[in-house]
Amino acid sequence: MTPLRSTEPPGTDIVIVPASEHPNRHATVLPYTEADWRISDETVARLAESVPENTRRTYTRIGRDFENWCRKENRAALPATEATLTEYVSHLIAEDAAPSRISTTIGALRKLHAVAGFKGQPDTERALQLLRGHKRQRAADGRGKKQAKPLSPEDIERMVETLDPTTFAGLRDQLILTLGYGLMARRSELAALRIADVIEVADGLEVQIRTSKTDKESEGQVRGVPPGSHVSVCPVRTHRLYRAKLAELVIIPGQLDPETPLLRSATKWGTPRRSGIPERLVDDVVKALAVAARLPDPGLYSAHSLRAGAATASLRKGVPAGIVAEHGRWSKTSPVINEYARTADLFRDNAMRGVL
């Protein structure tokens, strides 16, 4: 046998061994049995738990709706044929489902097939063709894609002014707004925060985000949130007041364990529960306060308005897009930042500025 020299350090030569001289050439190859293709219930459960909770809920709902439709239409749901998926998308279009919902459905059904062992099935070409036509028709009807309207710092201040900072719920909602904005947080990230995850330091707040949408390996990320320019919108001051109110109202000391939720649900008496807030509460708070503050088009605001608004405001201040993407935990290949940059530059770098 002639060793093949490698570029590795001495002692790491790669040796090519002919098949006739391989030490396992006489090994008996056992035939596959059913056990080779079976995954235990425990492993299935672990696979399910490895998917983020909100994604798991979405996939479960989509899979259930698809199975119910297939049952009514006398079609097989798993594995589904290309024709079945195409017909299902046509059914969703007939119901005037939003293009984003249809796109999520197609992706989820492909993922569910892959998890079940049917990788690459069903083919989505004609389903996506239908989706593109649906998008064009909605755009022609004036019902194109509607994104969450970004919140400006002035909007945040107006929303905070509608709150009662003497109550637990008022301070909590103020923290949702100010910390959510300063962190460019997803609603899932806010709801997941523990008391130990937010630490006040000399320059502001250090926030530990244990896992997020773009942190697939759950390695965790730390972000700094500086103080605000006005006391009502300062996340540092709001966090300090909120923590004091939490300590004042909690009856059982153990409920302030560092690993318990930071943002708490409230009882009907206005005291904090031990349980954290559901993600949808962030949406509810933003929507309700947009109405209370009499913001224009209040129905266009959602939890994402905090994240989108903070990114847009930063870009308008001249912060480089790469730094904004890093702070907001966007994927390096995400086109979202470019969309926000175009919004921020719509008039600042307009080709017609000063021409007329």
Side-chain angles (χ1 to χ4, degrees):
M1 296 182 291
T2 303
L4 177 67
R5 302 300 301 179
S6 75
T7 58
E8 298 295 323
T12 59
D13 292 340
I14 300 172
V15 178
I16 306 300
V17 182
S20 60
E21 299 180 25
H22 197 280
N24 292 330
R25 64 187 182 278
H26 298 304
T28 301
V29 179
L30 297 176
Y32 287 120
T33 66
E34 182 185 350
D36 292 294
W37 309 105
R38 187 174 64 245
I39 296 179
S40 67
D41 291 342
E42 292 82 0
T43 301
V44 169
R46 290 191 181 99
L47 283 169
E49 290 170 1
S50 70
V51 178
E53 184 179 354
N54 55 339
T55 302
R56 187 162 65 246
R57 285 198 302 267
T58 300
Y59 281 19
T60 299
R61 174 181 55 77
I62 289 173
R64 182 178 61 248
D65 291 346
F66 181 62
E67 286 181 4
N68 289 338
W69 179 84
C70 286
R71 192 175 299 113
K72 291 178 183 177
E73 298 294 321
N74 197 29
R75 290 173 177 265
L78 194 70
T81 64
E82 184 262 358
T84 292
L85 176 62
T86 304
E87 281 296 325
Y88 186 58
V89 169
S90 183
H91 159 72
L92 294 177
I93 291 173
E95 291 192 333
D96 199 28
S100 59
R101 177 190 165 194
I102 297 175
S103 179
T104 300
T105 296
I106 294 172
L109 291 177
R110 287 271 285 186
K111 182 67 175 179
L112 290 172
H113 275 69
V115 170
F118 304 108
K119 192 172 182 179
Q121 297 182 43
D123 186 270
T124 61
E125 183 176 354
R126 289 198 290 180
L128 292 173
Q129 181 179 337
L130 286 177
L131 176 57
R132 288 190 290 270
H134 185 44
K135 288 180 178 178
R136 283 194 298 271
Q137 186 59 54
R138 285 174 66 96
D141 294 342
R143 299 185 300 146
K145 181 180 179 182
K146 286 184 173 62
Q147 295 180 324
K149 192 172 181 179
L151 286 163
S152 70
E154 294 75 22
D155 293 333
I156 297 294
E157 189 168 352
R158 287 174 62 182
M159 293 164 78
V160 167
E161 287 173 355
T162 69
L163 295 169
D164 182 357
T166 65
T167 65
F168 168 74
L171 273 175
R172 180 203 61 197
D173 293 351
Q174 186 173 342
L175 187 59
I176 286 174
L177 289 180
T178 57
L179 183 59
Y181 203 77
L183 194 59
M184 297 184 190
R186 298 178 175 89
R187 65 179 193 171
S188 60
E189 294 170 347
L190 281 175
L193 287 174
R194 297 291 182 262
I195 289 176
D197 295 337
V198 184
I199 303 172
E200 185 172 345
V201 295
D203 294 324
L205 297 175
E206 281 189 3
V207 183
Q208 169 78 25
I209 301 167
R210 303 191 184 196
T211 187
S212 66
K213 183 178 179 181
T214 53
D215 182 13
K216 301 298 184 184
E217 303 301 322
S218 298
E219 296 175 347
Q221 304 171 70
V222 177
R223 293 293 182 269
V225 178
S229 57
H230 189 276
V231 291
S232 67
V233 294
C234 176
V236 180
R237 177 179 178 275
T238 304
H239 173 258
R240 191 183 306 139
L241 293 174
Y242 172 80
R243 285 285 301 274
K245 178 65 74 173
L246 194 60
E248 172 193 332
L249 296 177
V250 163
I251 299 174
I252 303 173
Q255 291 183 345
L256 280 181
D257 183 280
E259 289 302 311
T260 56
L262 173 67
L263 296 166
R264 309 286 185 93
S265 298
T267 67
K268 62 181 180 181
W269 299 282
T271 56
R273 299 182 187 273
R274 181 180 176 85
S275 58
I277 61 170
E279 293 178 17
R280 67 176 181 277
L281 180 66
V282 182
D283 253 334
D284 294 342
V285 166
V286 172
K287 290 176 179 178
L289 294 181
V291 172
R294 299 180 183 275
L295 298 185
D297 302 316
L300 296 181
Y301 294 99
S302 70
H304 190 71
S305 298
L306 294 172
R307 184 167 162 80
T312 304
S314 295
L315 290 163
R316 281 179 176 152
K317 287 286 187 181
V319 178
I323 293 178
V324 174
E326 176 70 17
H327 184 77
R329 300 160 304 286
W330 276 281
S331 167
K332 293 179 181 179
T333 59
S334 173
V336 175
I337 287 296
N338 290 330
E339 291 183 20
Y340 294 148
R342 283 193 292 271
T343 301
D345 294 341
L346 188 62
F347 292 102
R348 186 182 62 186
D349 296 333
N350 194 287
M352 293 302 296
R353 179 176 289 277
V355 173
L356 293 177

PDB file of all heavy atoms in Angstrom, residues 56-86:
ATOM      1  N   ARG A  56     -44.104  24.537  16.259  1.00  0.00           N
ATOM      2  CA  ARG A  56     -44.795  23.260  16.458  1.00  0.00           C
ATOM      3  C   ARG A  56     -46.310  23.457  16.440  1.00  0.00           C
ATOM      4  O   ARG A  56     -47.046  22.670  15.832  1.00  0.00           O
ATOM      5  CB  ARG A  56     -44.338  22.638  17.783  1.00  0.00           C
ATOM      6  CG  ARG A  56     -44.860  21.241  18.019  1.00  0.00           C
ATOM      7  CD  ARG A  56     -44.061  20.515  19.092  1.00  0.00           C
ATOM      8  NE  ARG A  56     -44.182  21.127  20.405  1.00  0.00           N
ATOM      9  CZ  ARG A  56     -43.183  21.703  21.050  1.00  0.00           C
ATOM     10  NH1 ARG A  56     -41.989  21.764  20.515  1.00  0.00           N
ATOM     11  NH2 ARG A  56     -43.362  22.212  22.257  1.00  0.00           N
ATOM     12  N   ARG A  57     -46.779  24.514  17.080  1.00  0.00           N
ATOM     13  CA  ARG A  57     -48.220  24.790  17.080  1.00  0.00           C
ATOM     14  C   ARG A  57     -48.728  25.064  15.670  1.00  0.00           C
ATOM     15  O   ARG A  57     -49.787  24.575  15.269  1.00  0.00           O
ATOM     16  CB  ARG A  57     -48.520  25.989  17.991  1.00  0.00           C
ATOM     17  CG  ARG A  57     -48.450  25.698  19.475  1.00  0.00           C
ATOM     18  CD  ARG A  57     -49.182  26.777  20.253  1.00  0.00           C
ATOM     19  NE  ARG A  57     -48.630  28.099  19.992  1.00  0.00           N
ATOM     20  CZ  ARG A  57     -47.689  28.685  20.715  1.00  0.00           C
ATOM     21  NH1 ARG A  57     -47.193  28.047  21.760  1.00  0.00           N
ATOM     22  NH2 ARG A  57     -47.235  29.888  20.419  1.00  0.00           N
ATOM     23  N   THR A  58     -47.941  25.853  14.922  1.00  0.00           N
ATOM     24  CA  THR A  58     -48.342  26.184  13.554  1.00  0.00           C
ATOM     25  C   THR A  58     -48.405  24.938  12.691  1.00  0.00           C
ATOM     26  O   THR A  58     -49.379  24.717  11.950  1.00  0.00           O
ATOM     27  CB  THR A  58     -47.360  27.194  12.940  1.00  0.00           C
ATOM     28  OG1 THR A  58     -47.362  28.394  13.723  1.00  0.00           O
ATOM     29  CG2 THR A  58     -47.738  27.540  11.507  1.00  0.00           C
ATOM     30  N   TYR A  59     -47.367  24.103  12.764  1.00  0.00           N
ATOM     31  CA  TYR A  59     -47.333  22.887  11.953  1.00  0.00           C
ATOM     32  C   TYR A  59     -48.454  21.934  12.335  1.00  0.00           C
ATOM     33  O   TYR A  59     -49.064  21.287  11.471  1.00  0.00           O
ATOM     34  CB  TYR A  59     -45.979  22.183  12.114  1.00  0.00           C
ATOM     35  CG  TYR A  59     -44.865  22.792  11.300  1.00  0.00           C
ATOM     36  CD1 TYR A  59     -44.956  24.084  10.798  1.00  0.00           C
ATOM     37  CD2 TYR A  59     -43.698  22.081  11.032  1.00  0.00           C
ATOM     38  CE1 TYR A  59     -43.943  24.647  10.062  1.00  0.00           C
ATOM     39  CE2 TYR A  59     -42.674  22.632  10.277  1.00  0.00           C
ATOM     40  CZ  TYR A  59     -42.794  23.922   9.799  1.00  0.00           C
ATOM     41  OH  TYR A  59     -41.788  24.478   9.065  1.00  0.00           O
ATOM     42  N   THR A  60     -48.743  21.842  13.640  1.00  0.00           N
ATOM     43  CA  THR A  60     -49.829  20.968  14.096  1.00  0.00           C
ATOM     44  C   THR A  60     -51.161  21.435  13.532  1.00  0.00           C
ATOM     45  O   THR A  60     -51.967  20.625  13.042  1.00  0.00           O
ATOM     46  CB  THR A  60     -49.889  20.950  15.634  1.00  0.00           C
ATOM     47  OG1 THR A  60     -48.650  20.443  16.147  1.00  0.00           O
ATOM     48  CG2 THR A  60     -51.035  20.067  16.121  1.00  0.00           C
ATOM     49  N   ARG A  61     -51.409  22.734  13.582  1.00  0.00           N
ATOM     50  CA  ARG A  61     -52.669  23.277  13.062  1.00  0.00           C
ATOM     51  C   ARG A  61     -52.780  23.055  11.552  1.00  0.00           C
ATOM     52  O   ARG A  61     -53.826  22.616  11.058  1.00  0.00           O
ATOM     53  CB  ARG A  61     -52.758  24.775  13.375  1.00  0.00           C
ATOM     54  CG  ARG A  61     -53.971  25.462  12.743  1.00  0.00           C
ATOM     55  CD  ARG A  61     -53.992  26.947  13.054  1.00  0.00           C
ATOM     56  NE  ARG A  61     -52.760  27.614  12.673  1.00  0.00           N
ATOM     57  CZ  ARG A  61     -52.431  27.946  11.423  1.00  0.00           C
ATOM     58  NH1 ARG A  61     -53.234  27.629  10.415  1.00  0.00           N
ATOM     59  NH2 ARG A  61     -51.299  28.583  11.177  1.00  0.00           N
ATOM     60  N   ILE A  62     -51.683  23.323  10.821  1.00  0.00           N
ATOM     61  CA  ILE A  62     -51.707  23.147   9.368  1.00  0.00           C
ATOM     62  C   ILE A  62     -51.922  21.685   9.006  1.00  0.00           C
ATOM     63  O   ILE A  62     -52.717  21.358   8.111  1.00  0.00           O
ATOM     64  CB  ILE A  62     -50.394  23.680   8.744  1.00  0.00           C
ATOM     65  CG1 ILE A  62     -50.370  25.216   8.822  1.00  0.00           C
ATOM     66  CG2 ILE A  62     -50.248  23.216   7.295  1.00  0.00           C
ATOM     67  CD1 ILE A  62     -49.058  25.835   8.393  1.00  0.00           C
ATOM     68  N   GLY A  63     -51.230  20.791   9.693  1.00  0.00           N
ATOM     69  CA  GLY A  63     -51.388  19.367   9.418  1.00  0.00           C
ATOM     70  C   GLY A  63     -52.796  18.886   9.701  1.00  0.00           C
ATOM     71  O   GLY A  63     -53.368  18.101   8.931  1.00  0.00           O
ATOM     72  N   ARG A  64     -53.394  19.381  10.794  1.00  0.00           N
ATOM     73  CA  ARG A  64     -54.763  18.979  11.144  1.00  0.00           C
ATOM     74  C   ARG A  64     -55.762  19.480  10.103  1.00  0.00           C
ATOM     75  O   ARG A  64     -56.643  18.733   9.669  1.00  0.00           O
ATOM     76  CB  ARG A  64     -55.111  19.530  12.528  1.00  0.00           C
ATOM     77  CG  ARG A  64     -56.499  19.122  13.017  1.00  0.00           C
ATOM     78  CD  ARG A  64     -56.784  19.653  14.412  1.00  0.00           C
ATOM     79  NE  ARG A  64     -56.745  21.114  14.450  1.00  0.00           N
ATOM     80  CZ  ARG A  64     -55.823  21.823  15.093  1.00  0.00           C
ATOM     81  NH1 ARG A  64     -54.848  21.207  15.750  1.00  0.00           N
ATOM     82  NH2 ARG A  64     -55.864  23.146  15.092  1.00  0.00           N
ATOM     83  N   ASP A  65     -55.605  20.760   9.701  1.00  0.00           N
ATOM     84  CA  ASP A  65     -56.526  21.315   8.692  1.00  0.00           C
ATOM     85  C   ASP A  65     -56.409  20.561   7.369  1.00  0.00           C
ATOM     86  O   ASP A  65     -57.423  20.297   6.702  1.00  0.00           O
ATOM     87  CB  ASP A  65     -56.221  22.799   8.458  1.00  0.00           C
ATOM     88  CG  ASP A  65     -56.579  23.658   9.655  1.00  0.00           C
ATOM     89  OD1 ASP A  65     -57.292  23.157  10.557  1.00  0.00           O
ATOM     90  OD2 ASP A  65     -56.142  24.827   9.706  1.00  0.00           O
ATOM     91  N   PHE A  66     -55.175  20.215   6.982  1.00  0.00           N
ATOM     92  CA  PHE A  66     -54.956  19.495   5.722  1.00  0.00           C
ATOM     93  C   PHE A  66     -55.563  18.094   5.788  1.00  0.00           C
ATOM     94  O   PHE A  66     -56.227  17.643   4.835  1.00  0.00           O
ATOM     95  CB  PHE A  66     -53.458  19.421   5.429  1.00  0.00           C
ATOM     96  CG  PHE A  66     -53.113  18.733   4.139  1.00  0.00           C
ATOM     97  CD1 PHE A  66     -53.543  19.247   2.918  1.00  0.00           C
ATOM     98  CD2 PHE A  66     -52.345  17.577   4.138  1.00  0.00           C
ATOM     99  CE1 PHE A  66     -53.229  18.607   1.721  1.00  0.00           C
ATOM    100  CE2 PHE A  66     -52.014  16.935   2.952  1.00  0.00           C
ATOM    101  CZ  PHE A  66     -52.462  17.454   1.741  1.00  0.00           C
ATOM    102  N   GLU A  67     -55.377  17.407   6.910  1.00  0.00           N
ATOM    103  CA  GLU A  67     -55.939  16.064   7.064  1.00  0.00           C
ATOM    104  C   GLU A  67     -57.472  16.105   7.007  1.00  0.00           C
ATOM    105  O   GLU A  67     -58.100  15.229   6.388  1.00  0.00           O
ATOM    106  CB  GLU A  67     -55.478  15.450   8.386  1.00  0.00           C
ATOM    107  CG  GLU A  67     -54.020  15.004   8.378  1.00  0.00           C
ATOM    108  CD  GLU A  67     -53.610  14.390   9.706  1.00  0.00           C
ATOM    109  OE1 GLU A  67     -54.485  14.262  10.583  1.00  0.00           O
ATOM    110  OE2 GLU A  67     -52.433  14.050   9.858  1.00  0.00           O
ATOM    111  N   ASN A  68     -58.069  17.087   7.646  1.00  0.00           N
ATOM    112  CA  ASN A  68     -59.530  17.198   7.631  1.00  0.00           C
ATOM    113  C   ASN A  68     -60.050  17.422   6.212  1.00  0.00           C
ATOM    114  O   ASN A  68     -61.050  16.828   5.799  1.00  0.00           O
ATOM    115  CB  ASN A  68     -59.985  18.348   8.541  1.00  0.00           C
ATOM    116  CG  ASN A  68     -59.786  18.032  10.009  1.00  0.00           C
ATOM    117  OD1 ASN A  68     -59.692  16.872  10.399  1.00  0.00           O
ATOM    118  ND2 ASN A  68     -59.714  19.061  10.836  1.00  0.00           N
ATOM    119  N   TRP A  69     -59.355  18.288   5.457  1.00  0.00           N
ATOM    120  CA  TRP A  69     -59.767  18.542   4.072  1.00  0.00           C
ATOM    121  C   TRP A  69     -59.605  17.288   3.224  1.00  0.00           C
ATOM    122  O   TRP A  69     -60.493  16.951   2.430  1.00  0.00           O
ATOM    123  CB  TRP A  69     -58.934  19.691   3.497  1.00  0.00           C
ATOM    124  CG  TRP A  69     -59.270  19.993   2.064  1.00  0.00           C
ATOM    125  CD1 TRP A  69     -60.283  20.794   1.597  1.00  0.00           C
ATOM    126  CD2 TRP A  69     -58.595  19.480   0.898  1.00  0.00           C
ATOM    127  NE1 TRP A  69     -60.282  20.822   0.221  1.00  0.00           N
ATOM    128  CE2 TRP A  69     -59.259  20.032  -0.232  1.00  0.00           C
ATOM    129  CE3 TRP A  69     -57.498  18.642   0.707  1.00  0.00           C
ATOM    130  CZ2 TRP A  69     -58.854  19.738  -1.534  1.00  0.00           C
ATOM    131  CZ3 TRP A  69     -57.098  18.345  -0.590  1.00  0.00           C
ATOM    132  CH2 TRP A  69     -57.765  18.895  -1.701  1.00  0.00           C
ATOM    133  N   CYS A  70     -58.482  16.589   3.402  1.00  0.00           N
ATOM    134  CA  CYS A  70     -58.248  15.359   2.636  1.00  0.00           C
ATOM    135  C   CYS A  70     -59.306  14.306   2.933  1.00  0.00           C
ATOM    136  O   CYS A  70     -59.763  13.580   2.035  1.00  0.00           O
ATOM    137  CB  CYS A  70     -56.849  14.802   2.945  1.00  0.00           C
ATOM    138  SG  CYS A  70     -55.491  15.720   2.195  1.00  0.00           S
ATOM    139  N   ARG A  71     -59.726  14.233   4.201  1.00  0.00           N
ATOM    140  CA  ARG A  71     -60.745  13.250   4.577  1.00  0.00           C
ATOM    141  C   ARG A  71     -62.061  13.554   3.867  1.00  0.00           C
ATOM    142  O   ARG A  71     -62.727  12.652   3.354  1.00  0.00           O
ATOM    143  CB  ARG A  71     -60.923  13.274   6.093  1.00  0.00           C
ATOM    144  CG  ARG A  71     -61.733  12.100   6.645  1.00  0.00           C
ATOM    145  CD  ARG A  71     -61.780  12.111   8.167  1.00  0.00           C
ATOM    146  NE  ARG A  71     -60.441  11.998   8.739  1.00  0.00           N
ATOM    147  CZ  ARG A  71     -59.825  12.962   9.420  1.00  0.00           C
ATOM    148  NH1 ARG A  71     -60.422  14.131   9.600  1.00  0.00           N
ATOM    149  NH2 ARG A  71     -58.618  12.778   9.906  1.00  0.00           N
ATOM    150  N   LYS A  72     -62.434  14.832   3.814  1.00  0.00           N
ATOM    151  CA  LYS A  72     -63.671  15.231   3.143  1.00  0.00           C
ATOM    152  C   LYS A  72     -63.600  14.972   1.641  1.00  0.00           C
ATOM    153  O   LYS A  72     -64.599  14.647   1.002  1.00  0.00           O
ATOM    154  CB  LYS A  72     -63.952  16.718   3.395  1.00  0.00           C
ATOM    155  CG  LYS A  72     -64.316  17.042   4.838  1.00  0.00           C
ATOM    156  CD  LYS A  72     -64.517  18.543   5.009  1.00  0.00           C
ATOM    157  CE  LYS A  72     -64.819  18.893   6.457  1.00  0.00           C
ATOM    158  NZ  LYS A  72     -64.952  20.369   6.641  1.00  0.00           N
ATOM    159  N   GLU A  73     -62.396  15.136   1.075  1.00  0.00           N
ATOM    160  CA  GLU A  73     -62.226  14.979  -0.370  1.00  0.00           C
ATOM    161  C   GLU A  73     -61.846  13.551  -0.766  1.00  0.00           C
ATOM    162  O   GLU A  73     -61.569  13.286  -1.942  1.00  0.00           O
ATOM    163  CB  GLU A  73     -61.141  15.951  -0.866  1.00  0.00           C
ATOM    164  CG  GLU A  73     -61.476  17.419  -0.662  1.00  0.00           C
ATOM    165  CD  GLU A  73     -62.655  17.859  -1.491  1.00  0.00           C
ATOM    166  OE1 GLU A  73     -62.758  17.412  -2.665  1.00  0.00           O
ATOM    167  OE2 GLU A  73     -63.488  18.650  -0.994  1.00  0.00           O
ATOM    168  N   ASN A  74     -61.774  12.663   0.239  1.00  0.00           N
ATOM    169  CA  ASN A  74     -61.404  11.263  -0.008  1.00  0.00           C
ATOM    170  C   ASN A  74     -60.030  11.166  -0.656  1.00  0.00           C
ATOM    171  O   ASN A  74     -59.819  10.429  -1.626  1.00  0.00           O
ATOM    172  CB  ASN A  74     -62.464  10.564  -0.880  1.00  0.00           C
ATOM    173  CG  ASN A  74     -62.343   9.055  -0.816  1.00  0.00           C
ATOM    174  OD1 ASN A  74     -61.897   8.497   0.199  1.00  0.00           O
ATOM    175  ND2 ASN A  74     -62.723   8.379  -1.888  1.00  0.00           N
ATOM    176  N   ARG A  75     -59.077  11.913  -0.104  1.00  0.00           N
ATOM    177  CA  ARG A  75     -57.694  11.904  -0.603  1.00  0.00           C
ATOM    178  C   ARG A  75     -56.753  11.479   0.530  1.00  0.00           C
ATOM    179  O   ARG A  75     -57.073  11.638   1.719  1.00  0.00           O
ATOM    180  CB  ARG A  75     -57.278  13.295  -1.093  1.00  0.00           C
ATOM    181  CG  ARG A  75     -57.970  13.747  -2.377  1.00  0.00           C
ATOM    182  CD  ARG A  75     -57.624  15.198  -2.695  1.00  0.00           C
ATOM    183  NE  ARG A  75     -58.216  15.659  -3.948  1.00  0.00           N
ATOM    184  CZ  ARG A  75     -57.603  15.649  -5.126  1.00  0.00           C
ATOM    185  NH1 ARG A  75     -56.362  15.175  -5.220  1.00  0.00           N
ATOM    186  NH2 ARG A  75     -58.216  16.099  -6.196  1.00  0.00           N
ATOM    187  N   ALA A  76     -55.584  10.959   0.141  1.00  0.00           N
ATOM    188  CA  ALA A  76     -54.565  10.581   1.125  1.00  0.00           C
ATOM    189  C   ALA A  76     -53.776  11.818   1.532  1.00  0.00           C
ATOM    190  O   ALA A  76     -53.324  12.585   0.680  1.00  0.00           O
ATOM    191  CB  ALA A  76     -53.627   9.533   0.533  1.00  0.00           C
ATOM    192  N   ALA A  77     -53.605  12.001   2.847  1.00  0.00           N
ATOM    193  CA  ALA A  77     -52.881  13.173   3.348  1.00  0.00           C
ATOM    194  C   ALA A  77     -51.378  12.926   3.445  1.00  0.00           C
ATOM    195  O   ALA A  77     -50.578  13.853   3.308  1.00  0.00           O
ATOM    196  CB  ALA A  77     -53.430  13.575   4.708  1.00  0.00           C
ATOM    197  N   LEU A  78     -50.994  11.677   3.693  1.00  0.00           N
ATOM    198  CA  LEU A  78     -49.574  11.396   3.882  1.00  0.00           C
ATOM    199  C   LEU A  78     -49.246   9.998   3.366  1.00  0.00           C
ATOM    200  O   LEU A  78     -49.757   9.013   3.922  1.00  0.00           O
ATOM    201  CB  LEU A  78     -49.224  11.487   5.370  1.00  0.00           C
ATOM    202  CG  LEU A  78     -47.747  11.559   5.732  1.00  0.00           C
ATOM    203  CD1 LEU A  78     -47.183  12.911   5.309  1.00  0.00           C
ATOM    204  CD2 LEU A  78     -47.556  11.375   7.236  1.00  0.00           C
ATOM    205  N   PRO A  79     -48.439   9.890   2.317  1.00  0.00           N
ATOM    206  CA  PRO A  79     -47.902  11.021   1.554  1.00  0.00           C
ATOM    207  C   PRO A  79     -48.942  11.554   0.569  1.00  0.00           C
ATOM    208  O   PRO A  79     -49.676  10.781  -0.045  1.00  0.00           O
ATOM    209  CB  PRO A  79     -46.712  10.416   0.816  1.00  0.00           C
ATOM    210  CG  PRO A  79     -47.091   8.974   0.620  1.00  0.00           C
ATOM    211  CD  PRO A  79     -47.889   8.600   1.852  1.00  0.00           C
ATOM    212  N   ALA A  80     -48.993  12.854   0.439  1.00  0.00           N
ATOM    213  CA  ALA A  80     -49.925  13.485  -0.486  1.00  0.00           C
ATOM    214  C   ALA A  80     -49.306  13.546  -1.875  1.00  0.00           C
ATOM    215  O   ALA A  80     -48.092  13.692  -2.020  1.00  0.00           O
ATOM    216  CB  ALA A  80     -50.271  14.895  -0.008  1.00  0.00           C
ATOM    217  N   THR A  81     -50.157  13.446  -2.873  1.00  0.00           N
ATOM    218  CA  THR A  81     -49.662  13.587  -4.241  1.00  0.00           C
ATOM    219  C   THR A  81     -49.536  15.061  -4.593  1.00  0.00           C
ATOM    220  O   THR A  81     -50.078  15.937  -3.903  1.00  0.00           O
ATOM    221  CB  THR A  81     -50.622  12.920  -5.241  1.00  0.00           C
ATOM    222  OG1 THR A  81     -51.878  13.622  -5.207  1.00  0.00           O
ATOM    223  CG2 THR A  81     -50.829  11.455  -4.905  1.00  0.00           C
ATOM    224  N   GLU A  82     -48.840  15.320  -5.688  1.00  0.00           N
ATOM    225  CA  GLU A  82     -48.693  16.685  -6.170  1.00  0.00           C
ATOM    226  C   GLU A  82     -50.053  17.277  -6.514  1.00  0.00           C
ATOM    227  O   GLU A  82     -50.326  18.452  -6.256  1.00  0.00           O
ATOM    228  CB  GLU A  82     -47.763  16.696  -7.394  1.00  0.00           C
ATOM    229  CG  GLU A  82     -47.447  18.082  -7.939  1.00  0.00           C
ATOM    230  CD  GLU A  82     -48.323  18.434  -9.134  1.00  0.00           C
ATOM    231  OE1 GLU A  82     -49.143  17.579  -9.540  1.00  0.00           O
ATOM    232  OE2 GLU A  82     -48.188  19.562  -9.651  1.00  0.00           O
ATOM    233  N   ALA A  83     -50.945  16.459  -7.059  1.00  0.00           N
ATOM    234  CA  ALA A  83     -52.283  16.925  -7.422  1.00  0.00           C
ATOM    235  C   ALA A  83     -53.081  17.316  -6.185  1.00  0.00           C
ATOM    236  O   ALA A  83     -53.824  18.306  -6.188  1.00  0.00           O
ATOM    237  CB  ALA A  83     -53.016  15.842  -8.210  1.00  0.00           C
ATOM    238  N   THR A  84     -52.931  16.530  -5.104  1.00  0.00           N
ATOM    239  CA  THR A  84     -53.657  16.839  -3.864  1.00  0.00           C
ATOM    240  C   THR A  84     -53.200  18.169  -3.281  1.00  0.00           C
ATOM    241  O   THR A  84     -54.018  18.998  -2.864  1.00  0.00           O
ATOM    242  CB  THR A  84     -53.469  15.700  -2.843  1.00  0.00           C
ATOM    243  OG1 THR A  84     -54.141  14.531  -3.312  1.00  0.00           O
ATOM    244  CG2 THR A  84     -54.024  16.084  -1.485  1.00  0.00           C
ATOM    245  N   LEU A  85     -51.889  18.403  -3.246  1.00  0.00           N
ATOM    246  CA  LEU A  85     -51.379  19.680  -2.724  1.00  0.00           C
ATOM    247  C   LEU A  85     -51.867  20.836  -3.579  1.00  0.00           C
ATOM    248  O   LEU A  85     -52.293  21.880  -3.054  1.00  0.00           O
ATOM    249  CB  LEU A  85     -49.851  19.665  -2.682  1.00  0.00           C
ATOM    250  CG  LEU A  85     -49.203  20.988  -2.239  1.00  0.00           C
ATOM    251  CD1 LEU A  85     -49.623  21.349  -0.822  1.00  0.00           C
ATOM    252  CD2 LEU A  85     -47.683  20.908  -2.333  1.00  0.00           C
ATOM    253  N   THR A  86     -51.839  20.662  -4.890  1.00  0.00           N
ATOM    254  CA  THR A  86     -52.281  21.726  -5.793  1.00  0.00           C
ATOM    255  C   THR A  86     -53.757  22.038  -5.573  1.00  0.00           C
ATOM    256  O   THR A  86     -54.162  23.205  -5.524  1.00  0.00           O
ATOM    257  CB  THR A  86     -52.043  21.316  -7.260  1.00  0.00           C
ATOM    258  OG1 THR A  86     -50.654  20.990  -7.439  1.00  0.00           O
ATOM    259  CG2 THR A  86     -52.395  22.455  -8.201  1.00  0.00           C
TER     260      THR A  86
END
